[in-house]
Amino acid sequence: MNSEMPYRTLGKTGVKVSCIGLGGFHLGQSNLQEADMIKLFHAAIDRGINFSDNSWDYNQGESERRVGKALKGYREKVFVMSKFDGRTKGSAMKQLEDSLQRMDIDHLDLWQFHENIRLEDPDRFFADDGAAEAMLQAKQQGKIRFMGFTGHKDPSVHLRMLEMADKHNFTFDSAQMPINVMDAHFRSFEKEVVPVLVEKQIALLGMKSMGDKNILTSKTVTPLECLQYALSRPTSVVITGIDSMPILDQAFEAARTYASLSKADIAKMLEKTAEVAMTGKFEPFKTTPRFDSTAMHPEWMGYNPGA
């Protein structure tokens, strides 16, 4: 393991993962040339990042296709995660096959139910012939190792998913959510969901540490502080978008320095962001539909929401 990157245990799986995860969305964007993306991916892995984030729907599959190319000769060094949007067993299994094919691999290390953002999403997940059945079947077939879910909208939806999992004796290995200096003050995943995850030993995957750059527009905190804050929480991995070498360096800088933050430093960050965080303006993924890709593409969910 590379000493430049701290490693953490992924919940109760026992797997060691880098505290920084390479966000998949940015890697598939058209402003980043494929050759540059592969170089960036390899540089990240060579320096000790081993967690690769992705989703079936990122950039119409381009993110997965590119990561597939970058994994050639690197598969053994990388913990590969992807997400799916299907709410039915059939649509979820189809998306898993797409993901494996695009990345040219025989299994995912972690497969996550994407955008658990509506109160009915957990019901859909656990319904007869729902996505939970797809996950269990995929695990049985050796196509996935671990199971998780993600969401960016409201802590209550995550808590409902965890409650329903208990009722169905279903064990999640991970849960992904926004962890940032603003979240701490507004509809807070950190305050409401994280204690439950810690108690259940479910790995916390932090995302949106800069609120998709929205938090930076508040001019209250720096990108480095945003990453340091997220890393100082009980996260197994902080997933962050990296689309250039300087941004990669910044992530390593945060990984190297976050442990030197004192409780007073953290308190100061929270103090600086308290007032501007109160309306949710800088976390538009909670307060607007702009980030809800399954709302824009209901067909991805595999059922007719109007039915």
Side-chain angles (χ1 to χ4, degrees):
M1 294 268 181
N2 191 305
S3 59
E4 202 184 344
M5 173 56 56
Y7 293 85
R8 297 176 176 182
T9 305
L10 190 76
K12 55 185 170 303
T13 69
V15 175
K16 294 285 185 203
V17 285
S18 50
C19 66
I20 293 282
L22 205 52
F25 184 78
H26 290 72
L27 297 178
Q29 288 188 302
S30 54
N31 61 332
L32 184 61
Q33 294 299 310
E34 185 180 284
D36 293 334
M37 172 267 153
I38 292 171
K39 262 186 220 152
L40 193 60
F41 191 94
H42 289 169
I45 306 306
D46 291 340
R47 288 174 66 182
I49 289 179
N50 72 349
F51 190 100
S52 171
D53 154 88
N54 224 317
S55 179
W56 173 83
D57 61 41
Y58 285 167
N59 302 296
Q60 294 80 48
E62 184 61 19
S63 287
E64 288 186 332
R65 279 190 288 273
R66 285 185 174 189
V67 166
K69 289 178 184 179
L71 284 172
K72 296 280 179 283
Y74 275 75
R75 176 64 183 101
E76 298 310 309
K77 297 178 181 177
V78 185
F79 185 92
V80 181
M81 177 266 273
S82 200
K83 317 179 195 85
F84 67 98
D85 301 306
R87 269 54 180 157
T88 62
K89 183 181 179 182
S91 58
M93 289 306 270
K94 167 78 174 72
Q95 289 168 11
L96 174 61
E97 292 307 327
D98 287 346
S99 295
L100 294 174
Q101 201 177 352
R102 289 168 185 164
M103 291 198 262
D104 196 20
I105 55 178
D106 62 5
H107 74 278
L108 289 171
D109 294 297
L110 173 61
W111 194 38
Q112 298 198 110
F113 177 73
H114 197 205
E115 290 198 0
N116 180 53
I117 56 176
R118 312 157 189 80
L119 278 171
E120 69 269 19
D121 280 333
D123 300 87
R124 287 286 175 179
F125 182 80
F126 286 109
D128 287 344
D129 213 29
E133 291 182 22
M135 282 194 138
L136 293 170
Q137 185 178 312
K139 190 167 185 181
Q140 205 179 356
Q141 292 172 345
K143 290 178 179 178
I144 63 169
R145 289 172 65 201
F146 304 114
M147 308 183 289
F149 70 94
T150 83
H152 55 253
K153 187 63 71 184
D154 196 289
S156 60
V157 189
H158 271 45
L159 291 172
R160 181 165 170 74
M161 183 64 110
L162 293 164
E163 277 165 28
M164 288 187 71
D166 284 347
K167 277 183 196 157
H168 289 83
N169 293 317
F170 188 97
T171 305
F172 283 110
D173 299 297
S174 65
Q176 184 170 328
M177 64 205 71
I179 297 289
N180 63 59
V181 288
M182 301 271 180
D183 169 81
H185 307 289
F186 179 80
R187 273 162 48 182
S188 178
F189 284 92
E190 184 184 329
K191 287 183 180 157
E192 294 183 43
V193 184
V194 173
V196 181
L197 298 185
V198 170
E199 185 196 329
K200 292 179 181 294
Q201 289 184 283
I202 295 172
L204 166 62
L205 306 185
M207 63 173 165
K208 303 199 187 308
S209 57
M210 301 174 208
D212 208 52
K213 293 189 180 163
N214 287 286
I215 288 170
L216 303 179
T217 64
S218 72
K219 302 280 195 289
T220 52
V221 276
T222 66
L224 190 62
E225 285 176 320
C226 288
L227 285 169
Q228 287 171 327
Y229 178 83
L231 287 165
S232 72
R233 307 297 87 194
T235 41
S236 289
V237 183
V238 172
I239 295 162
T240 187
I242 294 173
D243 55 7
S244 68
M245 290 297 180
I247 297 292
L248 181 64
D249 290 337
Q250 177 178 274
F252 274 91
E253 175 69 3
R256 192 179 63 77
T257 56
Y258 81 89
S260 61
L261 257 58
S262 65
K263 280 186 174 168
D265 294 330
I266 299 284
K268 201 172 174 184
M269 273 188 219
L270 290 173
E271 201 182 317
K272 284 193 295 187
T273 52
E275 202 176 323
V276 290
M278 290 308 181
T279 61
K281 177 187 171 185
F282 298 104
E283 290 190 283
F285 38 89
K286 290 181 182 175
T287 54
T288 77
R290 228 168 67 214
F291 290 75
D292 306 348
S293 55
T294 49
M296 288 178 250
H297 294 275
E299 70 280 5
W300 291 349
M301 296 192 288
Y303 71 94
N304 176 4

